[in-house]
Amino acid sequence: GVFLYRLKDYSPRVFFTSFLDGEIEQEKVPYLRIVKYESGLVKIIVLADKKGFLIFFYNYYPGWKAYVDGLNKEIIKVKDLIQAVAMEKGKHTVVFKYTPNFSFSKK
């Protein structure tokens, strides 16, 4: 017995939305692709025809940083759970990078 299930209404790893209030809905944009995905690093190319937010459907956790076109951007904590970054209209390269901020103390 092998079963194959199709998930309905799943949330993709990365998507675009115009609003963060209420129920967050995925919106179509002309282009959105993850071009690199590895431990602690996600690189996305997005062409947005309006301003909005790029949702990174990964737990919000200290140490994550976001860069849009190489510039450090504030990560927005969405629903106390996931991450987003504000986007302007246009083509952008977005990078989410995990860089833990800790140090070891000598005793």
Side-chain angles (χ1 to χ4, degrees):
V2 176
F3 296 93
L4 180 62
Y5 293 94
R6 183 175 190 180
L7 297 175
K8 290 178 66 179
D9 300 327
Y10 74 96
S11 294
R13 181 69 63 192
V14 177
F15 64 91
F16 183 88
T17 189
S18 295
F19 303 100
L20 296 179
D21 297 327
E23 186 174 335
I24 299 171
E25 295 187 19
Q26 176 182 350
E27 298 176 32
K28 290 191 182 276
V29 290
Y31 187 84
L32 193 153
R33 294 286 180 268
I34 296 173
V35 294
K36 188 171 195 173
Y37 190 94
E38 56 188 48
S39 181
L41 179 72
V42 180
K43 183 176 180 181
I44 304 119
I45 305 294
V46 60
L47 174 58
D49 51 359
K50 56 190 164 191
K51 71 180 201 173
F53 303 91
L54 187 67
I55 302 289
F56 177 34
F57 212 92
Y58 201 82
N59 289 343
Y60 178 88
Y61 192 79
W64 280 100
K65 305 239 186 281
Y67 304 90
V68 177
D69 301 326
L71 300 174
N72 191 6
K73 293 286 274 189
E74 177 187 0
I75 291 182
I76 302 164
K77 189 176 186 180
V78 180
K79 307 288 184 192
D80 289 326
L81 183 63
I82 57 176
Q83 307 177 56
V85 65
M87 301 287 310
E88 294 296 324
K89 180 179 177 179
K91 184 177 179 186
H92 303 284
T93 300
V94 181
V95 174
F96 286 91
K97 185 175 182 180
Y98 181 67
T99 51
N101 189 11
F102 61 86
S103 62
F104 295 101
S105 62
K106 294 181 182 182
K107 290 186 178 184

